[in-house]
Amino acid sequence: MTDRDLLHALRFDRGDTADAYARLLDAYGDELYRRCILVLRDRDAAHVVLRDTLIVARAHIGRLPNAERFREWLHALTEAECSRYLGSHQAHRAWDAHPLALPARADLVRARVLNGIGRPELAGYRTHVAARADRFDRDGFPLPPGHGPLADGPLPQLSFVIALLCALLVLVLAGYALTRDPGRELGTGEPQIAGAS
């Protein structure tokens, strides 16, 4: 199956979820898993990140306009998911002296990932992962976690200053309202008593 065929099938075949993930795994699972192993240095983490990468790819396949960049896009998704995983797991793993190799039985990787992704009871998890990966550039490629239009440049500082000024304005207005005597009529200086004429 060519990338164009795979892209077309993933975009328009919304039937069997497990079948869509199996197609992605058959075409790119080994190389994406290798990338996860190289970055994360942990097989269990690599399974998790590969699973999440496939979920994001399936959910956001419509963002990629160009089938010629499909492989590049999948690798970019993998890098973004690896970064997200490393950012959320603060414990840095010690680097082994020996390089990690793919397991001898790669079919076990496929089975483990598909088992953790395609079950109907995991629909909520798939929705969460797809929604979490919500920052893409105009070419459909993921922005690294922590990047985006508000994460770069002076916009965050400007937003903070505006929010601070708004909060101060609210405090001033609240203070004015609390110090003003509601029983005093404007201009007379005398308190207004209810029922008095």
Side-chain angles (χ1 to χ4, degrees), residues 28-49:
Y28 288 103
D30 287 346
E31 66 186 83
L32 297 180
Y33 184 66
R34 278 190 203 99
R35 187 65 196 146
C36 293
I37 288 282
L38 283 173
V39 172
L40 302 172
R41 310 288 296 172
D42 181 318
R43 286 194 180 111
D44 290 331
H47 285 110
V48 169
V49 170

Side-chain angles (χ1 to χ4, degrees), residues 36-124:
C36 293
I37 288 282
L38 283 173
V39 172
L40 302 172
R41 310 288 296 172
D42 181 318
R43 286 194 180 111
D44 290 331
H47 285 110
V48 169
V49 170
L50 178 59
R51 176 195 66 201
D52 290 357
T53 298
L54 298 179
I55 291 171
V56 172
R58 173 82 166 132
H60 295 286
I61 196 72
R63 295 182 182 272
L64 183 67
N66 188 346
E68 285 75 31
R69 299 187 72 190
F70 188 58
R71 171 179 266 124
E72 180 186 355
W73 183 71
L74 287 173
H75 280 274
L77 291 179
T78 303
E79 292 292 329
E81 289 302 312
C82 284
S83 295
R84 187 181 322 280
Y85 183 90
L86 289 173
S88 66
H89 293 77
Q90 296 300 324
H92 296 284
R93 303 183 185 281
W95 287 76
D96 295 333
H98 305 291
L100 284 173
L102 284 174
R105 303 225 14 226
D107 56 328
L108 295 179
V109 172
R110 184 182 193 278
R112 184 173 176 190
V113 170
L114 284 178
N115 186 41
I117 205 172
R119 296 193 318 247
E121 65 268 22
L122 295 175

Side-chain angles (χ1 to χ4, degrees), residues 17-29:
T17 302
D19 184 51
Y21 292 123
R23 289 179 191 183
L24 275 170
L25 267 174
D26 290 343
Y28 288 103

